[in-house]
Amino acid sequence: MEVNAVLTGSFEKWLKTLGYAQSTVYLSVKCVNDFFFYLKSSEISSLEAVQPEVISGYHKHLQTRANKRLGGSLSTNYITGNINALKRFSRYLQETGKPFFEVNIKTRTDKETTKIILTPQEIKALYKACDNTVLGIRDRAILSVYYGCGLRRSEGRALNASDILLKEKLVHVRQGKGYRERYVPMAEAVREDLENYIYVARERILSFKSTSAEALFLSMKVNRLGGNALIGRVHKLAVNARLEKEIGLHTLRHSIATHLLQSGMTLEEVGRFLGHSSLESTQIYTHIAHE
């Protein structure tokens, strides 16, 4: 185990030297440590003894291993991450002149690994497509909730105006996935967009009908804006911004997660921001961010 600790420590330094994202470095080392644990349980004590059938056996082990935190089996994305980490480790061993093993397993990619991600320039184009009308100010607030705060479609739709804590710069998500609540921090620009919407555009919408409304996002009929209507507004912005990608509300969530990882935020921090219950759900973004 001591030798393994030295090896993984050296592997970690190698990844950092090559410029891999901090989250990719963390997961790669974690996956290699999991592999070492598997080797030990299989009574394999040296890298020279790692033959193709051992790698194959480990792959099958991952496919049948239970998810310790969530129950059920491991996701395809998590298994892919493990195998890709071993491929990096194999490359490290070869390039540093150590005994190495080949990893020839082709990992299949499921739909979760082909997420559409917008570039920062494309996000700016969406914001620029918002005008200063009531609907334009509301559109900007929609972008700020789904991109700036990374909320899920249902989470953003369910928000009430009282959930936007402008003074504290927090969004209170009362019913996240799995009925978990959380507080999501907002940047100053997001706070300004939401404040402008709540006190200018939303007040204007409320004036169309003498009634009070709890919902944050209101239609012109002063009803809670539905999920399809929210998506429709984002699609309209994409057309006006001349984006060629087919996007939705989750595209904005995927994009902010990727951008945060690229900016140096840790995997755990991004997972908390997104409201993930497991790092397995966040792991896919490390591959996207590195690419």
Side-chain angles (χ1 to χ4, degrees):
M1 289 300 291
E2 184 180 352
V3 173
N4 291 345
V6 171
L7 201 54
T8 53
S10 178
F11 174 49
E12 181 177 3
K13 289 179 182 177
W14 180 81
L15 290 169
K16 289 178 177 178
T17 301
L18 289 182
Y20 279 91
Q22 183 179 354
S23 52
T24 304
V25 174
Y26 169 82
L27 272 168
S28 296
V29 173
K30 180 182 179 299
C31 290
V32 169
N33 278 328
D34 287 345
F35 178 62
F36 279 144
F37 182 80
Y38 171 80
L39 293 181
K40 184 179 179 181
S41 64
S42 301
E43 298 183 348
I44 297 172
S45 58
S46 68
L47 292 177
E48 290 91 336
V50 179
Q51 299 299 317
E53 58 268 22
V54 174
I55 301 295
S56 233
Y58 181 62
H59 187 217
K60 290 178 182 176
H61 163 72
L62 291 174
Q63 292 172 316
T64 57
R65 202 192 91 187
N67 185 319
K68 296 174 183 177
R69 293 188 62 180
L70 301 178
S73 58
L74 297 176
S75 67
T76 301
N77 296 333
Y78 189 76
I79 295 172
T80 297
N82 264 269
I83 298 304
N84 286 340
L86 288 187
K87 288 180 179 179
R88 289 186 204 103
F89 185 59
S90 173
R91 181 185 156 202
Y92 152 75
L93 293 173
Q94 293 181 59
E95 293 188 1
T96 54
K98 296 177 176 61
F100 67 92
F101 52 84
E102 297 284 355
V103 182
N104 296 317
I105 291 175
K106 292 182 180 180
T107 53
R108 70 180 185 85
T109 304
D110 65 8
K111 62 182 180 181
E112 288 298 312
T113 62
T114 56
K115 299 181 189 301
I116 295 173
I117 305 297
L118 299 179
T119 65
Q121 292 71 28
E122 289 169 331
I123 291 294
K124 287 180 182 177
L126 286 177
Y127 274 97
K128 193 174 181 180
C130 301
D131 57 34
N132 289 320
T133 64
V134 168
L135 291 182
I137 294 171
R138 191 187 65 182
D139 287 341
R140 197 172 184 90
I142 290 171
L143 291 178
S144 290
V145 162
Y146 286 103
Y147 174 76
C149 298
L151 266 58
R152 300 178 176 92
R153 169 178 165 172
S154 60
E155 292 172 344
R157 181 185 179 277
L159 283 177
N160 291 333
S162 59
D163 295 326
I164 308 301
L165 310 179
L166 293 171
K167 185 178 179 181
E168 296 83 358
K169 292 187 182 180
L170 294 171
V171 174
H172 186 190
V173 180
R174 297 180 185 277
Q175 287 194 353
K177 192 173 182 180
Y179 301 99
R180 293 183 299 273
E181 70 171 344
R182 71 185 188 281
Y183 287 90
V184 180
M186 63 174 86
E188 178 59 26
V190 171
R191 191 197 69 78
E192 290 176 1
D193 289 339
L194 291 176
E195 183 178 44
N196 193 30
Y197 166 66
I198 290 171
Y199 292 118
V200 178
R202 188 173 181 276
E203 285 297 317
R204 178 64 177 153
I205 294 172
L206 282 171
S207 70
F208 297 150
K209 195 173 181 180
S210 56
T211 182
S212 60
E214 291 184 338
L216 173 64
F217 292 123
L218 296 174
S219 69
M220 300 307 285
K221 293 182 179 180
V222 199
N223 297 318
R224 186 181 294 274
L225 212 59
N228 289 337
L230 288 164
I231 293 173
R233 295 306 302 179
V234 173
H235 285 172
K236 182 176 177 62
L237 290 176
V239 171
N240 292 342
R242 298 183 178 180
L243 300 189
E244 297 181 357
K245 296 175 181 176
E246 184 177 344
I247 70 171
L249 297 175
H250 250 63
T251 309
L252 301 175
R253 177 174 162 87
H254 298 328
S255 299
I256 186 63
T258 304
H259 297 164
L260 289 175
L261 283 171
Q262 289 173 334
S263 72
M265 188 177 282
T266 67
L267 194 70
E268 292 88 342
E269 290 170 333
V270 174
R272 284 195 297 272
F273 178 80
L274 296 175
H276 286 163
S277 61
S278 168
L279 285 181
E280 288 183 24
S281 302
T282 320
Q283 182 185 5
I284 178 58
Y285 296 111
T286 64
H287 310 304
I288 299 172
H290 183 66
E291 290 167 7

